[in-house]
Amino acid sequence: MGWMTERGDHAGWAAAVTPDGRGSVGSTQGHMLLPDGEQIADNLVVGWRAQCECGWVGPLWTRATDSRATDVREHQVFDTEGGDPTVEVEDLIHAEWKVHVAPLESLSAVATAAADARQSRSRLDGVVAEARALGASWADIGRAAGISRQSAHERWG
Ligand SMILES: [Zn+2]
């Protein structure tokens, strides 16, 4: 396996791709293995692409047979390492996978902040109830919470 998000909910790798469009199940162990267990011969690899366990698949980097055919913008690269992509190509593929997970990672930050906010609200409710039980007025509680007496009463009364 290649790369993992911080929360471990997405795992990606640079897959070797066959002429019929199937991708290998990993980039290190299983780098030349198809999901059904079939082994891909080095010379049958037509290119590489990012794949993610969630099912997402990146664009194909076509394997060129001639170094003069390399054109990174066209996703075409010459490769001299048999069935494995070069380190440079793997980095480019990794970058595409990072673009795939970036919005998902930002959503996990939203989820964490929302959980924190829920916890803070619940703690506030608790300490207000405690203050009331000890005899604090709605005006006192409102002042302490930075809202009006009436808002305090409406919210916790
Ligand atoms: Zn994914």
Side-chain angles (χ1 to χ4, degrees), residues 32-156:
M32 296 301 275
L33 213 58
L34 291 168
D36 62 7
E38 191 190 321
Q39 195 80 19
I40 311 171
D42 282 4
N43 62 339
L44 284 184
V45 172
V46 296
W48 305 270
R49 69 182 177 212
Q51 287 191 196
C52 191
E53 273 184 344
C54 72
W56 176 87
V57 167
L60 179 70
W61 286 83
T62 303
R63 179 188 197 179
T65 50
D66 185 321
S67 62
R68 287 164 301 181
T70 291
D71 187 338
V72 169
R73 275 175 315 176
E74 292 296 316
H75 273 66
Q76 184 157 304
V77 287
F78 176 65
D79 155 71
T80 55
E81 297 179 22
D84 289 324
T86 59
V87 172
E88 291 79 16
V89 172
E90 189 158 2
D91 284 348
L92 292 165
I93 292 172
H94 186 194
E96 290 173 340
W97 179 80
K98 283 199 246 180
V99 170
H100 155 63
V101 296
L104 310 165
E105 299 227 89
S106 75
L107 286 180
S108 89
V110 170
T112 303
D116 289 349
R118 273 193 301 276
Q119 209 166 38
S120 292
R121 272 197 300 275
S122 152
R123 194 162 62 87
L124 179 58
D125 292 348
V127 293
V128 165
E130 211 174 283
R132 276 299 281 173
L134 294 170
S137 71
W138 288 120
D140 292 337
I141 289 169
R143 218 177 354 265
I147 58 177
S148 70
R149 179 197 64 81
Q150 191 177 342
S151 296
H153 184 244
E154 280 167 6
R155 179 160 171 186
W156 294 293

